[in-house]
Amino acid sequence: MQPKIVLSTPPKIAFFLIFSSLISIAQTNSVTPDSPGYTAMTGKERITWFAKSTVGPQSLAAGLFTAALGTAANAPKEYGPHWEGYGKRYGIRLSGVSTSNAMEAGFGAMWGEDPKYYPTTGLSIKGRIGNVMKTTFTAPRPDGHYTPAYARFIAIPGSNFLSNTWRADSEADAQHAGLRTLYGFLGHMGGNAFQEFWPDVQKLIFHKKP
């Protein structure tokens, strides 16, 4: 019988890699949809957004964290609580994220929906939190005004139900897809919050000057 490596060290390594990845993340959006310099997202920018949102440091770090949690809880049970299971969970999460991002970028291109998050400037904490929540469900159009994020409403549920075709049997059903859809929107909100507040956290931790 081949011995298995029970998950004891993967979470520690995952958290270390997450922290290392987060150090390299910096906010680069300086022009916001409500500023005079804003222009509609180009095709090249859309491809860049897809690549960064799928395999950028923030996404990869999130994958390390969620795979560690899933392996610690042995969910789904088909993958097992070991390194091989950790890798499968990481891969299945990445496949879902890439499908969702491709759908959001593709559908959004049809009507000019910009999927990027733009950090606020000069708002109170309450205002910044409000922006994080609002932009989870809205996105700017070419003229800069925000409307419901229709491409996102298609992409997150669509990718989660589609992924039932390649997921483990214990989670390949409508109920689990619905839960993943909910987690997808909550994860998007968390990603917005990260982009909004991480630069401030970096300044506190590393004593960076503005």
Side-chain angles (χ1 to χ4, degrees):
M1 183 176 180
Q2 186 178 5
K4 294 182 178 179
I5 303 174
V6 178
L7 184 73
S8 56
T9 55
K12 298 176 184 178
I13 296 175
F15 293 136
F16 171 76
L17 292 174
I18 290 169
F19 183 74
S20 300
S21 299
L22 295 184
I23 292 176
S24 67
I25 300 173
Q27 188 52 248
T28 57
N29 293 326
S30 57
V31 177
T32 60
D34 57 357
S35 65
Y38 177 77
T39 56
M41 177 179 262
T42 64
K44 182 178 180 180
E45 289 173 333
R46 199 169 289 276
I47 293 173
T48 299
W49 173 84
F50 167 77
K52 183 177 179 181
S53 298
T54 304
V55 294
Q58 181 180 335
S59 177
L60 295 181
L64 293 171
F65 179 73
T66 57
L69 289 179
T71 307
N74 194 24
K77 61 182 183 296
E78 290 92 336
Y79 295 162
H82 42 69
W83 277 108
E84 183 181 356
Y86 181 88
K88 288 180 178 179
R89 291 179 180 90
Y90 190 90
I92 203 72
R93 182 259 176 194
L94 185 60
S95 70
V97 168
S98 60
T99 302
S100 178
N101 289 342
M103 292 176 70
E104 183 169 357
F107 283 112
M110 296 180 184
W111 47 81
E113 187 174 301
D114 186 343
K116 290 188 296 185
Y117 178 76
Y118 294 87
T120 61
T121 55
L123 291 184
S124 63
I125 293 293
K126 182 178 179 180
R128 296 172 73 182
I129 293 174
N131 187 70
V132 164
M133 297 176 67
K134 181 192 78 170
T135 53
T136 299
F137 306 102
T138 62
R141 291 298 182 90
D143 62 0
H145 80 282
Y146 280 82
T147 64
Y150 296 114
R152 192 171 305 143
F153 296 155
I154 297 171
I156 293 180
S159 63
N160 279 296
F161 278 88
L162 180 63
S163 71
N164 279 344
T165 60
W166 64 78
R167 287 183 177 272
D169 290 342
S170 63
E171 60 176 21
D173 53 48
Q175 180 180 1
H176 282 86
L179 283 173
R180 290 194 300 270
T181 296
L182 174 61
Y183 296 150
F185 280 103
L186 291 176
H188 192 89
M189 186 180 297
N192 288 354
F194 181 85
Q195 293 182 68
E196 178 69 37
F197 295 106
W198 177 244
D200 298 333
V201 175
Q202 278 186 306
K203 293 173 186 176
L204 291 174
I205 295 176
F206 304 108
H207 304 290
K208 289 185 177 182
K209 296 181 179 180

